[in-house]
Amino acid sequence: VDLSTTIAGVKLPNLLLNASGVNCRFENELQQLVESKSGSLITKSATLNSREGNPEPRYAPLAGSIGSINSMGLPNQGYEYYLNYAKNFDYNNTAGKPLFISLAGLSLAENKTMCEAFRDANLPCVLEVNFSCPNVPGKPQVGYDMEAMEQALQVLDPIIGRPFGIKLPPYFDIAHFDQAAAIFNKFDNVVFVTCINSVGNGLAIDLDSETALIKPKDGFGGLGGLLVLPTALANVNAFYRRLKPGKQVIGCGGVTSGKEVFLHILAGASAVEIGTQLMEEGTGVFERVQKELVELMTAKGYKSVEEFRGKVKTL
Ligand SMILES: O=C(O)c1[nH]c(=O)[nH]c(=O)c1I
C-alpha cells in the first residue's frame, strides 16, 4: 500500500505529519519527529521575536478523550531559531522527510520580514503561513478578515516567490468558503491550504471545581481533537471542491486513528496533520495510525490514496 504524497513539489514518504504547535517548538522535539514514523514535520509557528506565550495552565485534554483546549499564546523561539534549524536540516535524510516551516507574524510587517529572510536563505523547506492563531489577546485572526487576508497575500506571495501554503481557521458559512477560495485561486504560489486550525475560543469547565480548565483569557481557547472532526472534514472538502486544479488541501483536526485519516483523504486531503492525539500519545502515534490506515485500505481493496482521495459520496 502506497501512502506517499507530494505537497508543494516535495515528496513525503507518507502523508502523516504533526500539526504545527505540537511537539515542535524546540530542536529536541523536532528531532523526535525526524526519528518518528511521520512522513514530514512542521515547526511551531514563529514570530519575529521569541515569545514565552500565555500563563499556564494553557493546554488541557477534555474529559472522555473527546478533544483538547489550548490558549498557548504563540510561545516560540523566534523565527531565526527556525531559520537556523532549516539551514542545518538534513534534506537528504534516509527517511526522505521534507521540512515545513510555520510562520505567524503578529503583523504584516513581521510576516514580510520573516518571509524575506526565508526567501534570501533559499532553502528546500516549505512555508505554511498561519493566518489562524486564535489565542493572542488583541490580535484578531487574519483568516476571518477576507480583505486583510487578500492584502497580506498580495504582499507576501511575490516575496515568497515559490509554492507555499496557508493554515486556515475553520469556516462555518458557505459564503466564507466561497470568498476564501476565490482569494486563494488568485495566487498561483498558494499551492495548499491546511484545514483546520483549532476551533477558536471554546470554554471548557470542570464540573467538580466549577472552574475553567485553562488560565488565559478567562478559560477561552482553541478546540481540537475528535470533537472537531466533522468541521475539519467539511473545511477540507469545501476547499477541495473550490480550489483550482493543482492546489491541494492538507487535512488537520480530529485524527485519533487510521479511520479519521481515511475520512480526511475521502474528503480531499493530500496529507494529514495530527495535533491533539500527538500531544496525548507521543510520536508513536504516527506508526500506529499508519498501520491502521493500511489495514483499513487493504480491507477496502485500495492500494493507493489516489484511488479514493476526494471521492466522498453524496446521497
Ligand atoms: O496559542 C497558540 O500558540 C496557537 N494555538 C492554536 O490552537 N493554533 C495556533 O495557530 C496557535 I499560534
Side-chain angles (χ1 to χ4, degrees):
V1 169
D2 180 12
L3 298 183
S4 69
T5 189
T6 300
I7 303 284
V10 300
K11 175 117 184 189
L12 286 64
N14 74 68
L15 52 81
L16 298 181
L17 68 156
N18 63 301
S20 174
V22 182
N23 207 97
C24 59
R25 175 179 174 185
F26 300 104
E27 278 193 70
N28 67 306
E29 294 177 316
L30 292 162
Q31 185 56 27
Q32 289 167 358
L33 292 173
V34 169
E35 290 163 6
S36 78
K37 294 291 186 192
S38 72
S40 58
L41 63 152
I42 185 167
T43 56
K44 169 65 186 176
S45 292
T47 44
L48 195 71
N49 304 306
S50 64
R51 290 172 53 89
E52 282 307 305
N54 292 338
E56 295 179 333
R58 58 194 188 183
Y59 170 89
L62 303 180
S65 304
I66 60 169
S68 67
I69 187 166
N70 91 81
S71 186
M72 307 302 284
L74 244 176
N76 74 97
Q77 304 310 97
Y79 84 99
E80 284 143 324
Y81 180 94
Y82 304 104
L83 177 57
N84 189 54
Y85 182 81
K87 282 176 180 170
N88 296 320
F89 187 77
D90 174 13
Y91 296 94
N92 300 315
N93 57 77
T94 45
K97 284 189 193 188
L99 173 66
F100 291 77
I101 295 286
S102 176
L103 300 176
L106 297 176
S107 66
L108 179 50
E110 276 204 20
N111 272 325
K112 190 168 176 290
T113 301
M114 295 191 291
C115 289
E116 284 165 349
F118 273 92
R119 173 202 58 199
D120 295 347
N122 191 26
L123 299 164
C125 53
V126 178
L127 293 185
E128 181 184 86
V129 179
N130 182 358
F131 282 151
S132 45
C133 179
N135 302 321
V136 180
K139 299 299 290 181
Q141 294 189 48
V142 173
Y144 284 150
D145 180 338
M146 298 298 173
E147 200 178 322
M149 189 156 62
E150 182 161 5
Q151 285 166 356
L153 287 172
Q154 277 160 0
V155 170
L156 301 178
D157 177 274
I159 291 171
I160 295 169
R162 61 163 73 173
F164 70 102
I166 299 169
K167 181 71 172 282
L168 293 176
Y171 297 103
F172 301 93
D173 187 301
I174 301 301
H176 295 164
F177 292 138
D178 294 337
Q179 291 161 18
I183 293 170
F184 306 138
N185 281 330
K186 293 178 181 174
F187 298 93
D188 293 344
N189 285 330
V190 176
V191 295
F192 71 90
V193 294
T194 302
C195 299
I196 60 176
N197 207 317
S198 53
V199 174
N201 295 298
L203 176 61
I205 304 171
D206 177 76
L207 182 63
D208 299 334
S209 66
E210 303 171 14
T211 310
L213 296 192
I214 57 174
K215 179 168 182 159
K217 294 173 53 180
D218 296 327
F220 283 61
L223 304 176
L226 198 54
L227 75 96
V228 308
L229 181 66
T231 294
L233 295 177
N235 278 262
V236 166
N237 194 238
F239 286 102
Y240 180 77
R241 290 175 182 276
R242 289 169 173 77
L243 292 179
K244 278 198 277 192
K247 293 181 188 289
Q248 296 172 294
V249 182
I250 295 182
C252 185
V255 175
T256 71
S257 75
K259 286 183 190 141
E260 293 83 33
V261 177
F262 185 90
L263 294 175
H264 266 277
I265 299 167
L266 210 51
S270 292
V272 179
E273 297 182 351
I274 305 178
T276 300
Q277 194 59 36
L278 170 59
M279 186 77 182
E280 293 303 311
E281 183 173 338
T283 56
V285 68
F286 295 112
E287 183 164 21
R288 173 180 67 85
V289 167
Q290 219 164 128
K291 197 168 66 63
E292 291 167 350
L293 176 60
V294 167
E295 283 163 6
L296 187 53
M297 286 173 64
T298 304
K300 285 170 168 281
Y302 293 121
K303 288 184 181 51
S304 81
V305 294
E306 278 71 30
E307 292 167 45
F308 63 99
R309 178 183 298 120
K311 301 233 180 349
V312 54
K313 298 168 192 161
T314 55
L315 292 173

